[in-house]
Amino acid sequence: MTGQPVGGGAAKALPVARSEARPLVPALMFIALVVAAVGSLGTPLITSVATSFHVSLGSAQWTLTVALLSGAVATPVLGRLGAGPHRRATILATLAVVVAGSALTVLPLPFAWLLAGRAAQGIGLGLTALMMGVARDHLPEERGAAVIALISVVSIIGAGVGYPLAALLAEFGGVRAAYGLGLVVTAAALLTAWRSIPEAPEGRSAHVDVAGAVVLAAALLLVLLLAGERSLWTRHLAVAAGLAVVAVVLLCVWAVIELRGTTPLVGVRAVRHPAVAGANLAMFVGGIGMYLLLTLITRYAQTPHGAGYGFGLTTFVAGLVLVPFSVLGFVAGKLTPRLRTRIAGPLLLAGSAVVVGGGFALFAAARSDLAELFTAMGVLGFGVGGFSAAMPGVILAVTPKSETSSAMSFNYVVRSVGYSLGSAIGGLILAAGTRPGRLFPDDSAYTTAALAGLGAMAITTLTSLALARRRVSETNP
């Protein structure tokens, strides 16, 4: 990333013919949806995995954590490779790894192999930014912007699509049947990519900064470990604090490596551009809030009546609560590109953050009826969809085409860390609200967590408004 405006790259885009663009767009959408759904496939299966493999719930949780971790580590590397001349080969090779990992999750192998398969599946999460790069290079500018926005939304709502399907298969066919869904759709995605993804424009070059990738991977490992292992903070506070310090030091070392390197993994100087830095800050804090509310609603819905609240829903029925999230998220994703012709991207980010804040307010004030949970989830989906659709436009407005994959990859790493912290913060607040000897937290703990989420979305809104104000001052000096 060099911070040049759109079109500043030396290589020219190679727009595909209109007849070829038609199959390209659904192919990009399908691949982005598959990798998102498969990456989150572990969420509804944690209890089933613990039962089937005779492991603890904490160990089973790693079937989700390891996928998020491998995705966060692979994303910047794939983004850099995707900026080079071998983008098509990178996409096909990555999907082949995902298919191989999917096969490991289906075969009757020990638990360690299941974790290896989930790690391989998680690598596919890094392909979302590459799909955006393909769209920006090979579609007309206006069409490409709309498709990029929808790819961003699809990468979010994929969880809402995969959750109920996986839960239904697990309920009737066991955990292997649920993971079998992942094998089928990833194989279809590989075939789709082989038939539809074009070569990258000529004149591109990309070199992976191996040292930077290793240091970043170690830092992200610690960050996500600290976010996912909440027991570290409650039982071994000194160890957790020490690991947090090490993670910060590693991130600082990584930044120095990137600044001094001739072929950085991520263009840190460009990330410091006010528009890019502000957008990534909004993504980080907003991601914490968005995933926090998603976690609160799904957990509340599955809490048994014996706790004094909750609805005791089965995994499959609880997955249906995500349907409004996915549907309204997609609607917002379709509307946002049209609104961008009249409203600046940062203002759309601010408006979407306000909508998510409204979801928190609804959940905090009214959750005694299942319809209220559906409503809060729908509001969340609409806000997340609008936010996700507006984000690429804010970042890519100051990014050359050749660096699309790299720029958006960094944004997705920021998003992954924010989501992980959102889940961890929710867990810590609920744990603090659980009285000794009780299995479930007090109902008031959910209200406390919702208020914390409101604070996160307020910060996100203010950050986005500051971006909008800066953009106006630059446009009208």
Side-chain angles (χ1 to χ4, degrees):
M1 290 168 57
T2 62
Q4 301 171 16
V6 174
K12 294 182 179 180
L14 296 177
V16 295
R18 179 169 298 184
S19 60
E20 296 174 347
R22 288 173 182 166
L24 176 61
V25 172
L28 296 176
M29 296 293 181
F30 177 67
I31 294 169
L33 179 64
V34 166
V35 296
V38 171
S40 63
L41 197 58
T43 306
L45 304 179
I46 292 173
T47 303
S48 299
V49 167
T51 304
S52 301
F53 288 87
H54 306 290
V55 297
S56 67
L57 284 173
S59 297
Q61 176 72 30
W62 274 96
T63 58
L64 176 62
T65 304
V66 74
L68 295 175
L69 174 61
S70 63
V73 171
T75 291
V77 176
L78 291 178
R80 176 51 57 196
L81 291 173
H86 306 298
R87 181 172 59 203
R88 173 181 162 84
T90 299
I91 292 171
L92 293 177
T94 302
L95 283 172
V97 170
V98 175
V99 172
S102 300
L104 289 178
T105 64
V106 175
L107 294 173
L109 297 171
F111 180 67
W113 287 101
L114 174 63
L115 288 182
R118 289 292 295 148
Q121 286 181 325
I123 292 174
L125 293 172
L127 289 178
T128 302
L130 273 66
M131 298 301 103
M132 293 181 177
V134 173
R136 199 177 184 198
D137 279 336
H138 297 282
L139 295 173
E141 184 174 351
E142 184 176 345
R143 176 64 167 153
V147 171
I148 288 172
L150 276 179
I151 290 173
S152 183
V153 174
V154 163
S155 71
I156 298 290
I157 67 174
V161 174
Y163 194 121
L165 288 176
L168 179 63
L169 288 172
E171 198 167 307
F172 291 100
V175 67
R176 298 293 186 186
Y179 281 124
L181 171 66
L183 178 59
V184 171
V185 295
T186 53
L190 176 58
L191 178 62
T192 300
W194 177 71
R195 292 175 59 90
S196 304
I197 299 297
E199 296 287 350
E202 296 179 0
R204 298 277 177 87
S205 62
H207 303 278
V208 176
D209 175 16
V210 177
V214 171
V215 174
L216 180 61
L220 289 175
L221 172 62
L222 289 178
V223 170
L224 295 179
L225 175 66
L226 290 169
E229 292 294 318
R230 293 187 290 272
S231 60
L232 274 176
W233 294 98
T234 56
R235 300 178 183 175
H236 308 285
L237 182 59
V239 174
L243 291 177
V245 171
V246 173
V248 171
V249 171
L250 286 175
L251 287 173
C252 292
V253 171
W254 172 76
V256 171
I257 292 174
E258 297 300 286
L259 286 170
R260 293 182 176 179
T262 56
T263 57
L265 190 67
V266 174
V268 175
R269 288 184 178 86
V271 171
R272 293 186 302 183
H273 187 288
V276 179
N280 282 317
L281 176 60
M283 183 75 263
F284 175 69
V285 181
I288 291 175
M290 294 170 195
Y291 209 81
L292 173 58
L293 183 53
L294 189 69
T295 301
L296 292 176
I297 294 176
T298 52
R299 183 165 169 175
Y300 193 92
Q302 290 181 280
T303 301
H305 296 287
Y309 61 90
F311 301 95
L313 302 183
T314 65
T315 304
F316 169 61
V317 179
L320 295 179
V321 177
L322 285 170
V323 171
F325 174 85
S326 297
V327 172
L328 288 178
F330 187 78
V331 170
K334 293 286 287 184
L335 290 175
T336 299
R338 300 175 185 175
L339 293 175
R340 280 198 66 219
T341 60
R342 302 178 181 179
I343 304 173
L347 287 178
L348 288 174
L349 290 180
S352 298
V354 170
V355 172
V356 175
F360 273 109
L362 283 173
F363 179 74
R367 53 177 183 266
S368 59
D369 189 89
L370 193 56
E372 294 169 343
L373 287 192
F374 273 87
T375 301
M377 190 65 90
V379 172
L380 173 64
F382 193 81
V384 171
F387 194 90
S388 302
M391 179 60 69
V394 176
I395 293 178
L396 298 183
V398 292
T399 304
K401 285 187 176 182
S402 60
E403 293 294 324
T404 298
S405 297
S406 181
M408 294 311 303
S409 291
F410 184 78
N411 184 255
Y412 278 95
V413 171
V414 170
R415 187 181 80 178
S416 297
V417 174
Y419 281 2
S420 298
L421 289 176
S423 177
I425 290 171
L428 287 172
I429 294 175
L430 294 181
T434 304
R435 284 179 282 179
R438 296 197 61 177
L439 183 61
F440 300 99
D442 294 338
D443 186 46
S444 60
Y446 283 91
T447 303
T448 302
L451 294 176
L454 268 174
M457 299 320 299
I459 295 173
T460 305
T461 302
L462 293 174
T463 303
S464 302
L465 289 175
L467 273 177
R469 198 174 298 117
R470 182 181 181 88
R471 178 172 177 175
V472 170
S473 65
E474 290 177 349
T475 305
N476 303 304

